[in-house]
Amino acid sequence: MSDPVQAQYEAYPYPARDPKDEARRLITGSPSHLLEIGHYVFAGRRDWSRPFRALFAGGGTGDGAVMLAQQLADRGCPAEVVHLDLSTASRAVAEARARVRGLANMRFVTGSLLDAGALGRFDYVDCCGVLHHLEAPEAGLRALAQVLEPDGGIGIMVYGELGRSGVYEMQDLLRRLAPDDQPAADRVAMARRVVRALPETNLFRRNPLLGDHLSSDAGLFDLLLHARDRAYRVPGVLDLLAAADLDLVSFIEPIRYRPETWVTDPSVRRRLGELPDVERMAAAELLSCGMKVHIAYAVPHGRGRQAAAVPSDRAIPAIRDLDPALLARALKPGVPLTVRFDGVPLSLPMPALAGPIVARVDGRRTVGEIGADLRTTVDRRLSDAAFAAAFDATYAALNGVNRMLLAGFGAAAA
Ligand SMILES: C[S@@+](CC[C@H](N)C(=O)[O-])C[C@H]1O[C@@H](n2cnc3c(N)ncnc32)[C@H](O)[C@@H]1O
């Protein structure tokens, strides 16, 4: 096998998964969660009863592909989810996971994403954790952009440079101590010894965000012994998208890319507020220094501004991967919501009505219907303006942390 990246993923399929675990849980994440695709690629207006084709380019052991295939099956969408990977060992794990779940909507192809054109057109393409391992990431993303339907979109994940502080120094060190002409198992053993022996000043040891090497040999290999990997800052991600003629729709989670998230000083915040959008996102990364990955949704050039769903009275909000009743109970009037991103606890002010609003979000009711119900059951004097302000603030906070998305739109009020 000539390509060292391909050889690595034959020896260490990534991430390490046991197909038997499918019987007890579904792994969900970003990109490629059905709610996110609906919100950020199809503006909340996709009719999921229509046929849908998705490609997972470098699908690995199947996390994303299995998630979306299951979600599409649960919705009764006539779909085909194509898992494409160079590694036959990874494909075998992904196929076994699909079998345990009884998913009949998946197809498996062994090959390079550079040849994706042979597989036809897709409504959605996922490329998570792959582009940064290619010799030419721009060419890879271009090949994927070319298989998109004009109204389709793509979800990518690439490494973040600053959050991986210490990784590349460790890779450099391990190329000397555990070179790639040695057996893989010996290299892993040496890497473990080196990690345990690091002095306090070592950048890798000082980075509290890195833990993949602790999870499995595959995780350690991926992080510290990778044959080819690079990392990006925000402007580099945008250049990568532009080179493939794609427009950014949103980074995930949006709150991480708002610089005010990371700084409280009012003068600094004011100055940040004056910056153009791209500079603001770049500043957020430079302030945080904790972004290990960049997850982004993008669409063919020209559609970027229309692709994301926009809240209105007719919008149907949904809570992503949390029981709305539990979240509602955690939202106490006057108490900010605490969330943790990139190693930092963040305190989100929430309106007093956030709990009652979230309790009524069920993926079926519109915003207008939620307001009407609140008026009947909680506060008869709740004005339209007061409800709108409370909903907007709740939505801004929860959409920012990728928990509230718009699943669709109801009919116009009579
Ligand atoms: C880090 S894993 C990511 C797996 C999966 N996307 C995930 O996020 O869980 C990278 C995967 O990309 C695959 N890969 C690398 N280069 C590829 C290429 N040119 N075409 C197809 N797959 C490729 C590898 O075999 C490996 O399974």
Side-chain angles (χ1 to χ4, degrees):
M1 192 172 301
S2 58
D3 185 75
V5 172
Q6 185 176 1
Q8 173 183 326
Y9 288 112
E10 286 300 352
Y12 292 103
Y14 184 89
R17 295 289 181 233
D18 181 348
K20 285 201 286 294
D21 291 337
E22 296 310 310
R24 59 171 183 84
R25 57 95 183 95
L26 175 69
I27 293 179
T28 59
S30 303
S32 304
H33 193 290
L34 185 76
L35 268 178
E36 294 173 18
I37 297 172
H39 183 110
Y40 289 111
V41 174
F42 296 104
R45 298 188 184 273
R46 180 62 163 59
D47 173 0
W48 295 105
S49 67
R50 277 179 39 225
F52 186 80
R53 286 194 90 216
L55 172 68
F56 282 73
T61 50
D63 275 8
V66 166
M67 167 183 69
L68 185 62
Q70 183 68 62
Q71 292 172 336
L72 288 163
D74 291 346
R75 276 200 90 115
C77 176
E80 181 178 59
V81 175
V82 178
H83 173 282
L84 169 67
D85 205 292
L86 282 173
S87 155
T88 55
S90 302
R91 168 187 172 157
V93 176
E95 264 185 302
R97 293 174 74 180
R99 253 194 319 275
V100 172
R101 292 191 160 271
L103 289 169
N105 57 359
M106 292 187 74
R107 178 180 153 203
F108 295 87
V109 178
T110 300
S112 171
L113 62 83
L114 296 173
D115 304 322
L119 300 172
R121 293 233 159 208
F122 294 89
D123 301 291
Y124 177 74
V125 173
D126 166 288
C127 193
C128 176
V130 183
L131 293 169
H132 47 229
H133 296 314
L134 302 183
E135 252 169 23
E138 294 82 5
L141 189 57
R142 257 198 307 274
L144 297 178
Q146 280 162 7
V147 301
L148 281 180
E149 295 285 1
D151 67 344
I154 186 162
I156 66 165
M157 182 278 271
V158 292
Y159 291 145
E161 185 185 317
L162 300 178
R164 280 168 71 84
S165 148
V167 168
Y168 296 98
E169 289 75 9
M170 278 295 278
Q171 289 186 1
D172 191 0
L173 176 62
L174 290 172
R175 270 192 293 274
R176 297 158 202 265
L177 301 181
D180 61 8
D181 57 358
Q182 295 182 355
D186 294 355
R187 298 178 69 201
V188 169
M190 175 55 78
R192 289 207 186 286
R193 297 189 84 88
V194 173
V195 168
R196 282 197 296 271
L198 293 172
E200 271 173 49
T201 48
N202 179 276
L203 276 181
F204 181 79
R205 177 168 164 182
R206 289 166 59 153
N207 187 342
L209 303 170
L210 301 167
D212 225 14
H213 56 298
L214 304 171
S215 63
S216 61
D217 286 358
L220 179 138
F221 216 102
D222 218 66
L223 188 68
L224 299 178
L225 294 167
H226 210 290
R228 185 165 59 229
D229 104 40
R230 72 185 74 190
Y232 292 81
R233 296 191 190 185
V234 163
V237 178
L238 298 176
D239 289 347
L240 183 64
L241 294 176
D245 228 10
L246 293 167
D247 289 350
L248 174 75
V249 181
S250 181
F251 281 113
I252 300 293
E253 293 78 14
I255 193 175
R256 297 165 61 224
Y257 294 84
R258 295 175 195 150
E260 296 80 8
T261 299
W262 306 110
V263 64
T264 50
D265 181 282
S267 304
V268 178
R269 281 175 151 219
R270 235 185 341 271
R271 177 70 192 108
L272 288 164
E274 292 162 3
L275 298 178
D277 284 353
V278 172
E279 296 303 314
R280 284 172 47 73
M281 294 187 291
E285 180 178 28
L286 291 164
L287 281 163
S288 141
C289 287
M291 297 183 188
K292 280 192 305 182
V293 296
H294 295 298
I295 297 166
Y297 286 99
V299 294
H301 179 55
R303 274 190 47 231
R305 290 198 181 277
Q306 305 112 53
V310 179
S312 72
D313 248 23
R314 292 197 292 119
I316 300 173
I319 300 292
R320 177 193 181 283
D321 292 344
L322 272 182
D323 178 355
L326 283 183
L327 177 58
R329 248 175 274 148
L331 293 169
K332 309 259 186 268
V335 181
L337 181 66
T338 303
V339 290
R340 202 176 174 86
F341 282 109
D342 300 330
V344 179
L346 304 172
S347 179
L348 308 180
M350 301 296 292
L353 272 180
I357 288 174
V358 167
R360 286 162 177 76
V361 170
D362 58 6
R364 286 187 297 275
R365 270 190 270 207
T366 64
V367 173
E369 287 163 349
I370 291 171
D373 190 55
L374 276 176
R375 230 163 267 130
T376 321
T377 55
V378 176
D379 179 359
R380 270 207 248 141
R381 286 171 308 168
L382 180 65
S383 69
D384 285 353
F387 169 68
F391 180 82
D392 289 351
T394 304
Y395 176 81
L398 294 182
N399 178 262
V401 298
N402 200 28
R403 287 295 178 185
M404 190 184 280
L405 295 137
L406 301 180
F409 289 84

